[in-house]
């Protein structure tokens, strides 16, 4: 496990985690709003929001108070939505981003940092999901470009 990884369970711990990272010299705070791609077979799924809206709001407020941006690793829809509503600065990945979420991101000036491939593919089911997501993401990008939405 990454020694710098901070696992958060409550908003008080979220606040403590942000302050510790700021004290260590962080230049950006990155949260994991959804799971499903870290290689653990059990205990996480893409569709599960790993941080509540309230936890993300606390993280964003504290990071912004110190002038830091907040990036959100968000693949599943619930995590993306929580991140946007919390006011994070960027959505990283955003595989299950849809038109409604994209419109909300535009309203709130949230950037989409898209990554097409996940580092590890563990089984044929994951591969099929990833290929489906990649196609869906590609089609969405084409639509956004056609509609004049910039990255």
């Amino acid at each position: 496990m990454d020694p710098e990884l901070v696992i958060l369970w409550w908003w008080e711990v979220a606040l403590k985690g942000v302050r510790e990272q700021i004290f260590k010299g962080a230049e950006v705070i990155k949260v994991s709003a959804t799971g499903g791609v870290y290689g653990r077979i059990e205990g996480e799924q893409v569709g599960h929001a790993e941080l509540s809206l309230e936890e993300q709001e606390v993280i964003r407020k504290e990071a912004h108070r110190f002038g830091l941006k907040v990036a959100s690793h968000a693949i599943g829809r619930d995590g993306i939505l929580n991140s946007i509503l919390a006011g994070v600065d960027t959505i990283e990945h955003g595989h299950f981003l849809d038109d409604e979420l994209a419109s909300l991101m535009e309203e709130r000036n949230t950037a989409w940092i898209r990554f097409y491939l996940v580092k590890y593919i563990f089984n044929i089911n994951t591969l099929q999901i990833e290929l489906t997501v990649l196609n869906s993401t590609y089609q969405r990008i084409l639509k956004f470009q056609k509609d004049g939405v910039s990255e």
Side-chain angles (χ1 to χ4, degrees):
M1 181 173 264
D2 184 346
E4 294 298 313
L5 181 65
V6 177
I7 298 175
L8 308 174
W9 298 106
W10 301 283
W11 70 265
E12 296 94 344
V13 180
L15 180 61
K16 180 178 183 280
V18 172
R19 288 180 176 167
E20 286 177 356
Q21 295 306 309
I22 291 169
F23 179 77
K24 291 178 181 180
E27 295 178 8
V28 66
I29 301 297
K30 184 169 181 179
V31 300
S32 179
T34 66
V37 295
Y38 295 118
R40 292 187 344 208
I41 305 285
E42 298 176 16
E44 69 173 38
Q45 294 180 13
V46 170
H48 292 169
E50 292 189 343
L51 292 173
S52 69
L53 172 60
E54 294 79 14
E55 288 168 325
Q56 290 194 60
E57 286 175 331
V58 166
I59 291 166
R60 189 258 315 146
K61 285 178 185 175
E62 191 67 3
H64 284 184
R65 188 167 78 88
F66 284 88
L68 300 180
K69 300 286 187 186
V70 179
S72 176
H73 166 93
I75 293 175
R77 190 180 196 287
D78 291 347
I80 295 170
L81 179 60
N82 284 349
S83 296
I84 297 167
L85 294 176
V88 303
D89 300 290
T90 68
I91 299 295
E92 315 280 326
H93 306 291
H95 292 347
F96 290 95
L97 184 65
D98 57 30
D99 291 340
E100 178 186 350
L101 293 173
S103 295
L104 190 58
M105 288 175 69
E106 188 174 15
E107 287 172 21
R108 294 174 176 249
N109 201 30
T110 307
W112 178 26
I113 310 299
R114 59 184 195 228
F115 296 101
Y116 295 110
L117 296 174
V118 175
K119 189 174 181 181
Y120 302 105
I121 296 176
F122 295 97
N123 61 45
I124 193 66
N125 294 330
T126 304
L127 175 59
Q128 183 60 47
I129 291 168
E130 188 63 25
L131 291 174
T132 302
V133 168
L134 288 172
N135 183 53
S136 173
T137 302
Y138 177 70
Q139 296 303 320
R140 192 173 314 103
I141 290 166
L142 291 177
K143 181 185 182 310
F144 289 164
Q145 288 174 341
K146 180 181 173 220
D147 294 344
V149 177
S150 63
E151 298 179 51

